[in-house]
Amino acid sequence: MADAPITVEQHLARVLEAITPLGHVQQPLMETLGLAAAESVTAGIALPSFDNSAMDGYAVRHADVADAGEESPVELPVVGEIGAGNAQLLTLPPGTAAKIMTGAPVPSGADCVVPYEWTDHGVARVRIERSPSPGPHVRVAGDDVSVGDLLIEEGTVLGPRHLGLLASVGRASVASRPRPRVVILSTGTELREPGQPLGHDSIYDGNSYLLAAAARRAGALAYRVGIVPDQPRAFLDALADQLVRADVVVTSGGVSMGDFDVVKEALRPLGTVWFGPVAMQPGKPQGFGTVGDDATPIFCLPGNPVSSYISFEMFVLPALRKMMGITPHSRPLVQARLTHAITSPPGRRQFLRGEYDAASGQATVTPVGGSGSHLVGDLAASDALIVVPEDTLSIGAGEPVQVIRLDEEF
């Protein structure tokens, strides 16, 4: 008797319960882009760390130039030049000026900067034809960040701006969880590598590229393995070879009810991998469990490309995000209105390909292609999944539906 299908939520719960976040390590900043910080970071220095000039000009005391104007310019002796990273004049005597460059420290005693445009650009002496007010052209120490300020909260997904901030306060590394190493195995004697000639009964292996790209886009390290034929021993040997570099294994194909479903035939005797139906279309046959001495999680996805990709989105992607400490685990649902009516079989949650459009201010989604799990062309033309509940048989044009946007960061 066939197993009764479990729900999408039940299978996802099974997966997430078995997945634990990877241990965090200190990593160089550039290695952490897109990863979640595993520590909160506070500022050890202020930004700016010293008063500095916001423009090229002359550092002066305001009292010495308060009456300067075009009709009554003030002349001051220039006692030095202060460059960024080359500041030797630390104190400005009263009644003098110092040429100063953008970013250079303002010397003690000076409280304002006169822009070049307000002067005659003098070298030994400078004529100042306009009086600045104190402060506007001086970046005050700590104006941006104070010592002890919280810069990055634990769990923050690190982007370019975060890394720039961390580097600016002198952090060369940050604790984060490493990228999961995902090994992708495609099974099928009929498969050929792209670029090779096809026989009358062979097809190109698109799944491993599809899944490896999806894993990489999720932030993981993806390793495509050569095609594995429909032989249990060959599959087990390939799997054993790859476990040394795997935090996760993803297979496609060989999980249905046929005579040559090699993945199920090879793994079921281990007793650590569950195989069964999930009430979804496409993607009904699923497998999940652990393999090897380290109990490495393994996802056994169906072989049809659309089934394989949607299964990745529903189950593998949330697992990878949990391993990296990134929340939420699953893509959010948004609402849109259907442009065309659709139908759906009872008892299964259907994921239809769609094209999402919010340009008009009213979000709509247009079904793309049919429901066949082999229609990879339609999949590539889509940027969303239309989610039809198990108990819904039809939805009319103009009615609201739940949508998963596939190309959005979350």
Side-chain angles (χ1 to χ4, degrees):
M1 184 175 179
D3 294 336
I6 63 173
T7 66
V8 172
E9 286 81 9
Q10 287 171 329
H11 189 50
L12 178 59
R14 181 206 306 270
V15 167
L16 293 179
E17 184 179 1
I19 296 294
T20 56
L22 297 176
H24 60 78
V25 294
Q26 285 287 329
Q27 298 193 75
L29 289 186
M30 287 305 295
E31 299 302 316
T32 66
L33 181 64
L35 299 180
E39 62 173 322
S40 293
V41 180
T42 56
I45 64 170
L47 291 179
S49 55
F50 51 82
D51 294 351
N52 68 88
S53 179
M55 58 175 50
D56 295 339
Y58 294 86
V60 298
R61 294 172 183 260
H62 182 259
D64 294 334
V65 297
D67 298 327
E70 291 186 9
E71 301 300 323
S72 56
V74 171
E75 284 199 12
L76 297 174
V78 179
V79 296
E81 182 173 301
I82 309 170
N86 185 28
Q88 298 181 359
L89 181 67
L90 303 181
T91 302
L92 185 73
T96 66
K99 185 179 288 188
I100 192 167
M101 308 304 162
T102 302
V106 175
S108 174
D111 56 9
C112 59
V113 173
V114 181
Y116 272 162
E117 299 92 310
W118 300 358
T119 74
D120 66 349
H121 297 190
V123 177
R125 297 182 65 82
V126 62
R127 186 172 74 248
I128 298 170
E129 300 175 345
R130 186 173 169 184
S131 175
S133 56
H137 306 311
V138 176
R139 301 164 178 157
V140 178
D143 180 54
D144 184 15
V145 172
S146 298
V147 173
D149 279 357
L150 178 64
L151 303 180
I152 303 292
E153 234 181 326
E154 182 178 355
T156 299
V157 178
L158 298 169
R161 295 182 295 279
H162 302 115
L163 300 188
L165 175 59
L166 290 173
S168 296
V169 298
R171 287 292 297 259
S173 65
V174 63
S176 58
R177 304 187 192 281
R179 302 181 190 280
R181 299 166 300 167
V182 182
V183 167
I184 294 98
L185 287 163
S186 281
T187 63
T189 303
E190 77 280 11
L191 298 177
R192 300 290 182 272
E193 285 286 348
Q196 293 183 349
L198 284 180
H200 70 281
D201 58 352
S202 56
I203 61 172
Y204 288 122
D205 172 25
N207 277 9
S208 65
Y209 286 88
L210 176 67
L211 297 173
R216 184 176 295 181
R217 189 176 187 184
L221 300 174
Y223 301 107
R224 279 187 63 251
V225 179
I227 297 162
V228 180
D230 288 321
Q231 300 166 7
R233 176 45 55 192
F235 173 80
L236 290 173
D237 287 346
L239 179 61
D241 288 343
Q242 295 299 321
L243 285 178
V244 68
R245 63 170 179 173
D247 295 307
V248 175
V249 176
V250 178
T251 71
S252 66
V255 296
S256 295
M257 302 296 291
D259 293 336
F260 298 102
D261 287 322
V262 62
V263 174
K264 185 188 293 186
E265 184 180 348
L267 295 182
R268 189 166 248 169
L270 301 180
T272 57
V273 182
W274 169 88
F275 291 95
V278 175
M280 61 187 288
Q281 183 183 20
K284 180 181 177 183
Q286 295 288 332
F288 174 74
T290 60
V291 290
D293 295 338
D294 296 326
T296 302
I298 185 167
F299 292 84
C300 304
L301 309 183
N304 281 314
V306 180
S307 301
S308 195
Y309 176 74
I310 291 176
S311 299
F312 182 97
E313 284 287 325
M314 294 300 106
F315 308 121
V316 185
L317 177 61
L320 295 179
R321 289 174 67 89
K322 182 176 181 182
M323 294 179 87
M324 291 188 286
I326 298 175
T327 56
H329 298 142
S330 298
R331 292 189 186 276
L333 289 166
V334 300
Q335 193 172 84
R337 293 196 175 275
L338 270 176
T339 60
H340 297 77
I342 58 175
T343 60
S344 184
R348 297 187 194 179
R349 183 171 308 175
Q350 185 165 202
F351 297 93
L352 294 171
R353 278 72 76 200
E355 187 174 357
Y356 182 88
D357 182 14
S360 65
Q362 171 68 61
T364 61
V365 63
T366 301
V368 175
S371 61
S373 57
H374 64 292
L375 300 175
V376 70
D378 291 338
L379 179 65
S382 306
D383 62 4
L385 296 176
I386 302 167
V387 183
V388 185
E390 292 86 339
D391 57 354
T392 299
L393 302 183
S394 64
I395 304 176
E399 293 188 37
V401 289
Q402 297 293 316
V403 173
I404 298 171
R405 301 185 66 185
L406 297 172
D407 297 332
E408 294 297 300
E409 298 291 338
F410 69 106

